[in-house]
Amino acid sequence: MAGRTAALLMGRFLGGREGRLAMVVGSRSYRGHEEREMGFRSVLGEEFPNLTVSSAVEINDEPDASYAETMKALRNEPELLGIYCVGAGRSGIAKAIREARPNRKPVFICHDLTRETRGYLVDDLADVVIDQNARLIAEQSVIQLLGSIASSAPYLTRKFIEPRLIFRENVPVQ
C-alpha cells in the first residue's frame, strides 16, 4: 500500500510530464522495502507509463551511500523528475538535494514522520512523508500480545493502521 501510494502521489505531482525517476531502496532483504518497491513500480506501470525508474539503488540504509547515489543521479540526469526513498537513507537524499541545488528540484517522497523529516518538509526538500505511525503499530502489537494471553477468544479484533500523508502544510505539532 505504501509504495502504491508513493507512485500515485509522484505521478499526480508530476502532472503528466514524461521523464525519469530515481529510487533509493534501504535493503531488498526487508520484505517491507521489497513490497514498497513492487507497489511503486506496479502503479507507475499501470497509471503513469510516462514515468520510468532510471535508477534503483540499494544502500543498506546508509545515509552516506544514499547521498553519493543521489548526487550521482542528479549529475547524470539533470532533468530527474523525482526521487522515492523506500526506507532509510533519506538524510543523504535531502543533503544531496540541498547541496546540488538542481535547476528544478525533483519531487522527493519518503517515509516516517520524524524530527528529521519534519525539517525536510518545512525546508521544502521533501514534498510528502508517508507516515505509517510506528508508535501506534507498536502499541497495537503489545495490545495484541497481552490480549492473546488474557483472552480465550481465537481471534482478537485488529485496528487497521492507515498511513497518513504529511505535507509541509499539515505537519502535526510535536
Side-chain angles (χ1 to χ4, degrees), residues 89-107:
R90 54 195 173 253
S91 62
I93 296 168
K95 180 181 175 185
I97 292 171
R98 183 180 285 124
E99 287 180 13
R101 294 187 181 165
N103 290 334
R104 181 177 36 185
K105 183 189 87 60
V107 172

Side-chain angles (χ1 to χ4, degrees), residues 80-145:
L80 188 70
L81 294 179
I83 302 170
Y84 173 43
C85 183
V86 173
R90 54 195 173 253
S91 62
I93 296 168
K95 180 181 175 185
I97 292 171
R98 183 180 285 124
E99 287 180 13
R101 294 187 181 165
N103 290 334
R104 181 177 36 185
K105 183 189 87 60
V107 172
F108 174 32
I109 298 174
C110 61
H111 291 273
D112 303 323
L113 186 64
T114 65
R115 183 171 28 103
E116 189 177 63
T117 57
R118 284 174 193 270
Y120 303 155
L121 289 166
V122 170
D123 294 343
D124 202 29
L125 293 169
D127 295 280
V128 62
V129 172
I130 302 171
D131 184 53
Q132 293 176 279
N133 203 339
R135 172 182 233 125
L136 184 57
I137 291 170
E139 288 172 6
Q140 289 294 311
S141 298
V142 170
I143 289 168
Q144 288 291 314
L145 176 64

Side-chain angles (χ1 to χ4, degrees), residues 25-27 30 33 58-66 86-89:
V25 181
S27 174
Y30 298 143
H33 291 194
E58 191 171 6
I59 52 103
N60 294 313
D61 289 336
E62 292 291 333
D64 291 340
S66 67
V86 173

Side-chain angles (χ1 to χ4, degrees), residues 1-124:
M1 177 186 342
R4 293 181 65 81
T5 301
L8 181 66
L9 289 167
M10 185 71 75
R12 294 219 174 140
F13 280 150
L14 292 171
R17 292 198 314 229
E18 185 173 330
R20 298 179 179 276
L21 308 173
M23 187 182 324
V24 176
V25 181
S27 174
R28 289 184 178 101
S29 64
Y30 298 143
R31 181 177 175 184
H33 291 194
E34 187 177 50
E35 288 177 355
R36 286 177 183 173
E37 180 179 2
M38 288 187 314
F40 187 79
R41 288 180 184 275
S42 176
V43 169
L44 286 182
E46 293 165 13
E47 297 189 38
F48 305 102
N50 52 311
L51 299 173
T52 57
V53 176
S54 60
S55 68
V57 294
E58 191 171 6
I59 52 103
N60 294 313
D61 289 336
E62 292 291 333
D64 291 340
S66 67
Y67 169 78
E69 292 295 337
T70 303
M71 288 298 278
K72 184 166 64 172
L74 291 170
R75 270 192 313 271
N76 293 344
E77 297 191 53
E79 297 300 316
L80 188 70
L81 294 179
I83 302 170
Y84 173 43
C85 183
V86 173
R90 54 195 173 253
S91 62
I93 296 168
K95 180 181 175 185
I97 292 171
R98 183 180 285 124
E99 287 180 13
R101 294 187 181 165
N103 290 334
R104 181 177 36 185
K105 183 189 87 60
V107 172
F108 174 32
I109 298 174
C110 61
H111 291 273
D112 303 323
L113 186 64
T114 65
R115 183 171 28 103
E116 189 177 63
T117 57
R118 284 174 193 270
Y120 303 155
L121 289 166
V122 170
D123 294 343
D124 202 29

